[in-house]
Amino acid sequence: MTTMIYDLPRDLIEEIFSRLPLKSMKAVRLTCKSWNNLFKSKVTTPTREGETMMIFAMRPDSFCLMSGIVDVDPSIERKGQLSFLYKVSVSRIYHYEGLILCKLKDVNRVMVWNPYLGQTRWINLRYSHLINGFNRYSYALGYEDKESCRSVKLLRFLDYFFHAPETQFFWYEIYDFDSGLWKTLDVTPNWRIYCSSRSVSLKGNTYWCASKRSSEGCMDHIICFDFTKERFGPLLPLPSSVRDRKYKYVTLSCVKEEKLAALFQHHDSWERDLEIWITTKIEAEMVSWRKFLRMDTEPKVNVPGSFLIDEEKKVFMGFSTDYNSDYDDCPKKIINIIGEAGYLKKLDLGVPAYQNHWLDVCSYVPSLVQIKKLARGKRKKQRSLEKHRFDQNMLRLAAVDEKIKNYQYRFCRR
């Protein structure tokens, strides 16, 4: 009797799944109903112990999956190419617990992507007004846990201040994947989040570095947006090292989907020390920290766009651009692996930074979170109150933009 592949033991099938490349997972699920059910019951993450998965953009329309091993001899390996069904041009990508938010060069929409399941969803933005000619909008993905599934939501906000209180403008709104509707949030921020600040996702919520709105100093707090309650929590303090040692740069990262890590660096070129702290407890309204490690690096390590840490091995991987290479006219995208006792190793990603100056490497953890498609004919009608809020904000936005133009005109005539 011939044994069919469908008749193989479950543990053997799972082992086969674990060895398949990420891009093959969609085909696996479509093979038969039993394989699809098995796939959904167990995430067969295609990684080895100690291996970190990353997504890197070779070009605005071409991505590859990479893996990194932090060991005695650290290494980077390219796993394969990732592609979309449709042509896209991406300007930035952000990882949120298995989902990738793609900020497009087309300012009228964004795309949410699950590479593990091969799913995408395009979201049309309600407006794309560029204040002072720049795209200053910030985004975040999160979810609300419901009885049968996770309800994914997108937060979008603009918080702008130009020299004078009358040119201040903020607008916070949220998009619900289930209804396909936007909603303006009632937010009057007493904090400031820079539009360039990277956020991190933890247990469905999103965290940013922030400062008090009245403060002109460094980012000495973090703040959480709770996607279930659809509101921001209070400002939460970063470790006192931010104030005591006058660190200027703060970068956040997620540790095993359970904790946050904060990396502190100086602005001055002669200050070469850095510190990393990890949360011992983290919720929307409270946080406590412990020091992970402090290092003096020689030469100075550039501020990483993002980073990962290995608690057991006491090392961190920082993704950045190397401007100190032998090819000063062609800086490189690199990974710095830094540990205790002055350990430093640089791994070249093999892509010149001038080809890809706009995008950092994005860490990645495969996920089975479904990206729902909005069924045709199921779109709900926007409430009249929300339409009124939208119209009022658009009028305010136009007025602020006009004040900024007048301010710049007067300044240029001096």
Side-chain angles (χ1 to χ4, degrees):
M1 179 178 177
T2 304
T3 301
M4 304 295 289
I5 192 170
Y6 311 103
D7 301 323
L8 293 175
R10 176 183 173 124
D11 57 348
L12 181 56
I13 294 177
E14 289 181 357
E15 178 66 20
I16 294 172
F17 284 3
S18 69
R19 297 175 182 272
L20 290 173
L22 190 66
K23 61 183 180 181
S24 301
M25 288 302 143
K26 186 175 182 180
V28 167
R29 297 187 63 208
L30 295 175
T31 300
C32 64
K33 184 179 291 186
S34 62
W35 280 21
N36 184 49
N37 291 336
L38 176 59
F39 181 89
K40 289 191 293 185
S41 67
K42 179 179 177 64
V43 180
T44 52
T45 308
T47 62
R48 293 166 287 168
E49 186 176 352
E51 185 177 19
T52 297
M53 305 299 288
M54 296 163 279
I55 291 179
F56 186 71
M58 307 300 292
R59 298 188 307 272
D61 60 350
S62 177
F63 298 81
C64 70
L65 184 71
M66 306 180 77
S67 69
I69 299 292
V70 179
D71 214 322
V72 177
D73 185 21
S75 62
I76 293 292
E77 178 185 354
R78 190 173 298 179
K79 291 288 189 179
Q81 204 77 8
L82 299 173
S83 59
F84 304 104
L85 292 176
Y86 309 99
K87 184 176 178 60
V88 296
S89 185
V90 179
S91 62
R92 296 295 296 270
I93 61 173
Y94 307 90
H95 175 237
Y96 294 96
E97 299 184 59
L99 299 183
I100 305 295
L101 174 62
C102 300
K103 191 174 179 180
L104 307 177
K105 291 189 175 181
D106 176 2
V107 297
N108 296 301
R109 56 183 182 170
V110 295
M111 184 180 73
V112 179
W113 174 34
N114 187 332
Y116 198 54
L117 302 182
Q119 297 176 337
T120 58
R121 176 154 171 181
W122 299 80
I123 300 174
N124 292 320
L125 305 175
R126 293 199 288 180
Y127 65 100
S128 56
H129 189 95
L130 303 183
I131 286 190
N132 206 17
F134 294 96
N135 187 344
R136 301 180 183 274
Y137 299 94
S138 297
Y139 300 85
L141 276 178
Y143 59 82
E144 174 185 356
D145 268 324
K146 294 187 176 180
E147 292 182 0
S148 58
C149 63
R150 289 178 174 178
S151 177
V152 181
K153 301 176 183 179
L154 170 72
L155 175 70
R156 183 183 191 231
F157 63 90
L158 173 64
D159 192 336
Y160 185 74
F161 183 85
F162 185 82
H163 292 295
E166 60 267 20
T167 59
Q168 177 178 258
F169 180 84
F170 50 85
W171 186 353
Y172 292 75
E173 57 181 353
I174 198 164
Y175 176 83
D176 190 299
F177 279 52
D178 294 339
S179 66
L181 296 180
W182 288 92
K183 179 172 67 175
T184 299
L185 301 179
D186 184 14
V187 176
T188 304
N190 64 344
W191 63 84
R192 186 178 303 282
I193 300 172
Y194 292 145
C195 63
S196 59
S197 295
R198 275 190 172 273
S199 58
V200 294
S201 182
L202 185 67
K203 300 177 182 179
N205 296 330
T206 301
Y207 295 81
W208 290 266
C209 290
S211 65
K212 294 180 180 178
R213 203 166 189 83
S214 58
S215 172
E216 297 296 329
C218 63
M219 301 279 102
D220 54 0
H221 291 78
I222 60 173
I223 195 167
C224 172
F225 183 79
D226 186 323
F227 277 88
T228 299
K229 298 178 180 178
E230 296 186 353
R231 71 184 187 193
F232 284 90
L235 282 169
L236 303 174
L238 284 168
S240 58
S241 289
V242 180
R243 295 181 295 272
D244 298 342
R245 300 189 61 82
K246 298 181 179 179
Y247 288 108
K248 183 69 174 179
Y249 297 118
V250 185
T251 309
L252 296 180
S253 182
C254 186
V255 184
K256 294 184 177 180
E257 311 299 314
E258 298 173 352
K259 312 170 188 175
L260 292 186
L263 185 152
F264 305 114
Q265 282 183 283
H266 291 286
H267 176 270
D268 299 317
S269 59
W270 60 86
E271 296 279 7
R272 304 183 186 280
D273 64 304
L274 58 85
E275 288 186 17
I276 298 179
W277 289 65
I278 301 177
T279 57
T280 55
K281 191 171 184 179
I282 178 71
E283 296 175 2
E285 298 188 0
M286 73 85 58
V287 66
S288 57
W289 300 88
R290 70 173 178 86
K291 184 184 290 187
F292 173 60
L293 53 83
R294 181 174 181 270
M295 294 168 285
D296 290 304
T297 61
E298 178 68 39
K300 181 178 173 67
V301 175
N302 293 323
V303 177
S306 57
F307 73 98
L308 300 169
I309 69 170
D310 188 315
E311 285 190 86
E312 295 180 0
K313 298 175 182 176
K314 282 278 187 175
V315 297
F316 90 92
M317 300 171 61
F319 311 124
S320 63
T321 302
D322 184 10
Y323 295 99
N324 300 315
S325 64
D326 296 333
Y327 306 96
D328 291 334
D329 58 335
C330 182
K332 298 178 180 180
K333 285 292 184 181
I334 63 168
I335 294 180
N336 287 308
I337 301 177
I338 301 176
E340 294 182 304
Y343 177 81
L344 172 61
K345 177 81 173 183
K346 291 186 178 183
L347 297 179
D348 188 350
L349 290 174
V351 178
Y354 73 85
Q355 292 183 0
N356 188 20
H357 64 278
W358 44 266
L359 187 64
D360 290 315
V361 177
C362 174
S363 63
Y364 179 63
V365 178
S367 169
L368 287 177
V369 173
Q370 299 280 334
I371 302 178
K372 293 182 179 179
K373 296 288 187 181
L374 192 63
R376 292 185 178 180
K378 296 292 185 179
R379 185 181 296 274
K380 297 181 181 179
K381 187 177 180 181
Q382 198 78 58
R383 294 171 56 189
S384 58
L385 176 60
E386 179 57 34
K387 185 179 184 306
H388 174 72
R389 289 172 176 166
F390 176 81
D391 292 339
Q392 289 294 109
N393 275 332
M394 290 301 293
L395 290 173
R396 287 177 52 234
L397 181 58
V400 167
D401 203 24
E402 188 63 30
K403 290 177 182 177
I404 293 173
K405 291 177 182 177
N406 291 336
Y407 182 95
Q408 291 175 325
Y409 176 76
R410 293 196 303 270
F411 181 82
C412 292
R413 285 177 60 89
R414 291 178 180 175

